[in-house]
Amino acid sequence: MDLSQIQLIATDMDGTLLNSQDQVSARFYDVYHALKAQGVTFVAASGRQYYSLAHKLNSIKKDLYFIAENGALLMHQDKELGVIEIKKEKYLELLQQIQKIEGSQLIVCGRKTAYLNDHGPEFLELFSEFYERYKIIEDLTQIDDQILKLAICNINGTETHVYPQLQNLEGELKVKVSGKIWLDLSHSQANKGNALQKLQKLLNITAEQTMVFGDYNNDLEMMEAATYSFAMKNAHPNILKAANYSTESNDNYGVERILEKVLEAKLTTQAAI
């Protein structure tokens, strides 16, 4: 691996950059600042809401690009670089189907905020880790906003309890098991890979100059957009198969260890010139 050529690094958040306590390590910030000084551009690529990502990475948010809502929204310095929405007619059709799935809670991810029914304080505590802005409303058919994604939470597991009931939508939409208890529905063209490729074109950076990290199925397309694709040790089997390389778990500094190798490669190349 010639890590000295890396110019763009995109990392998923939950299960990847964030540890099991939903924290970004001081070790990451140290190597981030060193790589930024070397001209490397960073991207936070997540199924999370943009405002949640910006809050989680507040101290460096002005320098980052954000791929939010699984690629439905591309942002930089609070400016919208790309958005792919689900049309209102399709949303209303999906709403009826989703509300029939027993044991599941729906979050409607809008451009301005997220919307949900009142599912009680226990669910709100779980939900609020991922959503910085939200509104609790009674009628989810009365939303006046661009709809970027539908996130479904099922504590019993979405891969077995939700995905089989929505699998028929594959192709028409992106149907992504994005975590053990989460499943996301997005426009068919809204994924992290497409958003990353748009950013690569904008910045004139190639796949060979790009490194990505991920752990779950909503990272699959992103794996294809970079030569240096890394699966976390704790990743879903699909990601372990799709990635070109692997690293340690999110609780064992998997991202940070590789970034430190990138920094070392760049400094070694500089010293040799």
Side-chain angles (χ1 to χ4, degrees):
M1 293 189 291
D2 181 11
L3 298 180
S4 65
Q5 68 180 321
I6 299 300
Q7 295 185 26
L8 181 65
I9 297 173
T11 179
D12 173 52
M13 293 293 286
D14 296 281
T16 303
L17 183 61
L18 299 180
N19 61 26
S20 295
Q21 287 72 50
D22 298 313
Q23 297 170 338
V24 181
S25 73
R27 185 169 171 178
F28 167 75
Y29 285 112
D30 287 343
V31 70
Y32 162 80
H33 288 296
L35 284 171
K36 180 193 168 190
Q38 295 291 321
V40 176
T41 299
F42 278 79
V43 185
S46 177
R48 284 182 180 239
Q49 180 188 58
Y50 165 65
Y51 304 106
S52 172
L53 291 173
H55 175 74
K56 187 67 73 172
L57 295 162
N58 182 62
S59 66
I60 58 174
K61 67 180 181 180
K62 290 183 180 179
D63 298 318
L64 299 178
Y65 287 86
F66 292 94
I67 294 173
E69 308 287 13
N70 284 341
L73 184 63
L74 177 61
M75 298 284 291
H76 180 55
Q77 296 181 343
D78 284 332
K79 295 179 181 177
E80 186 180 293
L81 303 181
V83 62
I84 305 176
E85 65 181 294
I86 299 173
K87 296 301 182 185
K88 187 68 176 289
E89 297 78 13
K90 173 54 64 177
Y91 161 68
L92 292 174
E93 178 186 322
L94 291 169
L95 183 60
Q96 291 186 347
Q97 186 173 350
I98 294 166
Q99 288 177 331
K100 296 176 184 176
I101 303 175
E102 189 175 346
S104 297
Q105 289 82 32
L106 172 65
I107 299 101
V108 182
C109 306
R111 175 64 183 87
K112 293 182 287 189
T113 191
Y115 307 85
L116 71 158
N117 295 141
D118 186 355
H119 297 296
E122 187 175 338
F123 178 75
L124 189 61
E125 183 179 356
L126 168 69
F127 156 86
S128 60
E129 165 60 32
F130 307 98
Y131 294 87
E132 186 69 15
R133 296 186 185 182
Y134 61 89
K135 289 183 179 179
I136 296 175
I137 61 175
E138 289 187 13
D139 189 353
L140 293 176
T141 67
Q142 301 300 310
I143 293 173
D144 183 20
D145 198 352
Q146 290 178 289
I147 296 168
L148 306 184
K149 188 188 75 179
L150 305 180
I152 302 166
C153 180
N154 188 300
I155 299 299
N156 296 314
T158 54
E159 196 155 13
T160 54
H161 291 84
V162 179
Y163 179 73
Q165 300 186 59
L166 299 174
Q167 187 176 5
N168 64 300
L169 298 172
E170 290 273 19
E172 180 183 0
L173 297 167
K174 280 292 178 187
V175 184
K176 289 291 184 181
V177 177
S178 58
K180 290 181 180 179
I181 63 171
W182 296 99
L183 181 141
D184 298 329
L185 297 175
S186 308
H187 188 282
S188 61
Q189 298 302 308
N191 63 71
K192 295 182 186 182
N194 280 348
L196 184 59
Q197 288 177 328
K198 179 173 184 175
L199 185 57
Q200 286 169 328
K201 187 175 181 180
L202 181 68
L203 300 177
N204 195 28
I205 293 175
T206 67
E208 291 75 20
Q209 297 168 316
T210 303
M211 176 178 283
V212 300
F213 298 89
D215 77 308
Y216 237 86
N217 290 338
N218 57 335
D219 298 316
L220 281 169
E221 291 88 355
M222 189 166 69
M223 295 289 125
E224 299 172 2
T227 298
Y228 295 94
S229 55
F230 284 83
M232 309 303 291
K233 189 174 183 179
N234 52 284
H236 188 284
N238 290 344
I239 295 295
L240 290 168
K241 183 179 179 181
N244 291 328
Y245 305 96
S246 62
T247 185
E248 292 293 328
S249 73
N250 62 319
D251 283 327
N252 197 22
Y253 303 103
V255 172
E256 292 90 337
R257 291 173 188 269
I258 302 302
L259 297 187
E260 286 163 359
K261 290 183 179 180
V262 175
L263 178 61
E264 181 183 0
K266 286 185 172 292
L267 294 177
T268 300
T269 300
Q270 269 188 0
I273 296 175

